[in-house]
Amino acid sequence: MAQPYDLSATRTVGYDSELPAYTRPPTPSTSVPREPRDFSYKLETKTGTPWATLVVHGDARLSGKHPTFVEGSNLSGFVKLSLSTAEAIQAVRISLRGEIRKGGTSSATPTVFFELKHSLWPLNSAEPTQTTTDKLKGDYMWPFSVSIPATLTKSGQTFRLPHTLLSQGSFNIQYFVELRMVRGKLRPDNSLSCPLGYFSMQQPSPPSALRQLAYQENSPLLGPDADNDGWYTQTVSMAGTVFSTRTVDVKILASLLSDLSKIGFSLATPLAYTRSGSIPCVMEIETPDTEALDLLSAAAASVVCLERSLLEPKDSAKSAIEPCGRATFWPSIGAPQHRRRLMGEIHLRPDLQPSSDMLGYRVQYAVVVFPCQAAGFKSTKNIPVLRQSVEITTRFAAGPREKTYSPPAYEGRNAIVDNYYSGLALQSSKQGFI
C-alpha cells in the first residue's frame, strides 16, 4: 500500500476569496551543461589486478547508485583491457538490454523486451557474429557511444521505451549494459554487467490558452464555465441521507438529495500531468436543499484520490492497485444560489513512476472520486462514484511553468479509502495474484 495519507487534511478559506498561487522550490535547470558522472566496473585476475574495465558515463544530475541515461541521449563510455600475456579473444562487444521481471524479484526469469549489440573489436566488424583469430596483448581502450531509440516495435505494435521501475511484489523494469569478451567454442566468454537507469522524457501537450495566461500572470485558474476548453467535466451520481433537527421525512431528503442535487467533477485538460506538479480539479455541487449543500460543499467533505495500477498481461491477470495522492480543496468565489464550487488540486510526488505500457505490462493512473464524507451525511455506498484515467509524465508542458495553488498538506489515513483498497488487495491475494 501507499504511504499513509490524511483525507481530512485540507486548506479552507472564505467563500469570498481565492488561494494565491503557491510557488514551488525552483527546479534545477536542465539547460546547464554538466560533466557526466563516471561509473567503473572491473574484472580482476586471481592476484587482484584489473585486466578489463568498463566505464559508463551517467547523467550527473539523475544518477545515484547506478548510472542513468536520458531518453534521446547516447549510452557512452569506454572499455579498457590490460593484458600481460597474449589472449585468444575473438571479439569485444557491448550490449544494452531491457528486461521485465515478474514478482519484483531478481530470481524470476526475465522477459527481454529490448536488446542492442555494438562491436568494439574487431573495429571493422559490421556484424555481431563476426570474429577474428588474432590474439590481444598489451593495453587497449575503445570508446563507445550508442544511440538508443525512443520506441521499438513488437508484434506490429510500437511501444515507448519504459522508464525504469523497481517495485516490491509486482514487476520490475530494468536495464543492463554488458561487456563481453568472446573466447570461442572451447573456452567460456568473460563478461561484465552493470544495471542502468533509464529516464523517459514524456511531456504533455500545452494546456488551454486561458490556463497558460493564469500561470503567466500568477492568477487563479478560471473554472469550466469561463474556460470551456481547459476542463473535462463529468456528472457524478451520489446518493445518501441527511439528518437534521428539522421534522422532515428522511426518505424525502434522500429523494431530494439523490434526484435533485447535481455534482459535477472537472479535470484540467489535457488529461496528462507532470510529476512534482499538480492535477487541477473542480468539484461543483448544486441542490435546493441548503442544509445538504452546506454539508457536501465543506472543503473536507470531498474525497478525491490519485490511484496507481501496476497491471500485468491479461493472461496472468495480476495487478497491484493503490492510492498515491489526495486532492486538497478550497471554496471558490462567485457561485450562484443553490450551487457551490470547490477548486482543488492533487499534489504529485516527484518520484511517481510515469505512465507506460510495454508488452502488456502497464503503469496506469486514474483520478478516483469517492462519496462525500461529512458529519450528518451518510452515503448509501462507500465505493468510488467516478474513475477517470489520466497520464503521468516526467516533463512539464511547453509554455509558462504551471503553478501550484496550495501548499503541501500532510496526508494521513482515511478508513473508507483504506478499506476499499485493502479489499482489492485481499481479493487479488485470494486468487493467488499477490
Side-chain angles (χ1 to χ4, degrees):
M1 297 296 292
Q3 294 296 320
Y5 53 96
D6 183 5
L7 290 170
S8 64
T10 55
R11 172 79 170 177
T12 306
V13 296
Y15 287 102
D16 58 347
S17 63
E18 291 276 9
L19 282 177
Y22 176 77
T23 304
R24 298 189 312 272
T27 302
S29 173
T30 56
S31 61
V32 179
R34 292 179 175 86
E35 290 295 326
R37 181 180 169 190
D38 289 348
F39 293 79
S40 298
Y41 306 87
K42 299 178 181 181
L43 286 177
E44 298 179 344
T45 64
K46 293 181 180 180
T47 60
T49 303
W51 67 273
T53 302
L54 167 64
V55 176
V56 179
H57 300 323
D59 184 274
R61 187 169 64 96
L62 299 174
S63 298
K65 184 178 179 181
H66 304 295
T68 296
F69 64 103
V70 180
E71 176 184 334
S73 64
N74 287 3
L75 175 65
S76 60
F78 58 89
V79 171
K80 291 197 305 182
L81 294 186
S82 297
L83 304 173
S84 58
T85 59
E87 297 280 353
I89 297 176
Q90 296 183 351
V92 180
R93 300 170 187 155
I94 286 288
S95 64
L96 175 65
R97 187 173 68 256
E99 299 180 352
I100 298 175
R101 292 181 181 268
K102 298 180 181 180
T105 62
S106 58
S107 60
T109 302
T111 298
V112 178
F113 63 86
F114 172 73
E115 189 168 24
L116 184 62
K117 296 181 178 180
H118 178 71
S119 178
L120 299 178
W121 184 81
L123 298 179
N124 61 349
S125 176
E127 296 294 331
T129 56
Q130 183 175 339
T131 59
T132 179
T133 57
D134 294 341
K135 291 188 177 183
L136 298 180
K137 182 180 179 180
D139 295 331
Y140 300 85
M141 186 173 77
W142 296 286
F144 62 87
S145 182
V146 183
S147 177
I148 310 301
T151 61
L152 55 89
T153 301
K154 294 280 189 178
S155 303
Q157 289 184 292
T158 300
F159 299 93
R160 189 186 190 109
L161 219 59
H163 200 92
T164 298
L165 169 63
L166 299 177
S167 64
Q168 295 182 351
S170 187
F171 61 90
N172 286 344
I173 300 176
Q174 296 175 277
Y175 294 85
F176 299 89
V177 61
E178 182 184 73
L179 166 65
R180 179 170 293 272
M181 280 72 69
V182 181
R183 294 284 189 174
K185 295 182 179 180
L186 300 180
R187 295 185 60 188
D189 295 344
N190 298 110
S191 64
L192 184 60
S193 179
C194 72
L196 295 173
Y198 178 75
F199 192 94
S200 65
M201 298 292 282
Q202 298 164 253
Q203 184 179 37
S205 302
S208 68
L210 289 177
R211 187 172 153 205
Q212 292 188 60
L213 182 62
Y215 291 151
Q216 184 174 340
E217 297 183 346
N218 199 31
S219 60
L221 298 181
L222 297 176
D225 53 345
D227 184 12
N228 185 60
D229 294 335
W231 299 91
Y232 175 67
T233 302
Q234 300 180 76
T235 301
V236 179
S237 299
M238 195 175 300
T241 58
V242 174
F243 299 95
S244 67
T245 57
R246 292 180 291 133
T247 306
V248 181
D249 189 340
V250 174
K251 293 182 179 179
I252 296 177
L253 280 176
S255 176
L256 285 173
L257 188 58
S258 60
D259 295 339
L260 299 183
S261 63
K262 299 177 181 178
I263 299 179
F265 182 71
S266 303
L267 288 171
T269 57
L271 300 177
Y273 313 94
T274 306
R275 61 185 194 175
S276 80
S278 62
I279 301 179
C281 51
V282 178
M283 183 78 77
E284 195 159 15
I285 303 171
E286 180 179 350
T287 178
D289 189 310
T290 57
E291 186 175 30
L293 186 63
D294 288 339
L295 290 175
L296 299 180
S297 63
S302 296
V303 182
V304 178
C305 297
L306 179 66
E307 172 188 280
R308 186 188 76 163
S309 301
L310 300 181
L311 306 175
E312 298 190 15
K314 293 181 179 180
D315 56 355
S316 65
K318 292 184 178 179
S319 63
I321 306 174
E322 62 182 7
C324 55
R326 185 255 168 170
T328 297
F329 287 95
W330 58 93
S332 173
I333 62 174
Q337 188 178 12
H338 304 310
R339 182 186 300 175
R340 300 280 171 76
R341 174 182 293 168
L342 300 173
M343 302 296 291
E345 58 191 7
I346 303 174
H347 291 261
L348 301 178
R349 301 199 314 259
D351 61 346
L352 282 179
Q353 180 74 17
S355 304
S356 66
D357 183 357
M358 175 56 65
L359 301 178
Y361 292 88
R362 291 161 289 162
V363 180
Q364 295 183 344
Y365 290 89
V367 174
V368 181
V369 180
F370 283 83
C372 291
Q373 299 180 30
F377 172 75
K378 184 177 181 180
S379 175
T380 56
K381 296 182 180 180
N382 290 326
I383 60 176
V385 296
L386 177 68
R387 177 179 280 103
Q388 174 59 50
S389 297
V390 298
E391 183 181 358
I392 301 299
T393 68
T394 56
R395 298 178 63 197
F396 288 97
R401 178 62 63 90
E402 72 171 51
K403 304 293 183 181
T404 300
Y405 290 83
S406 62
Y410 170 74
E411 296 184 355
R413 306 190 69 89
N414 177 274
I416 290 179
V417 177
D418 279 352
N419 290 339
Y420 174 74
Y421 286 103
S422 295
L424 292 182
L426 181 61
Q427 181 181 3
S428 298
S429 178
K430 286 183 177 179
Q431 296 177 8
F433 295 161
I434 298 177

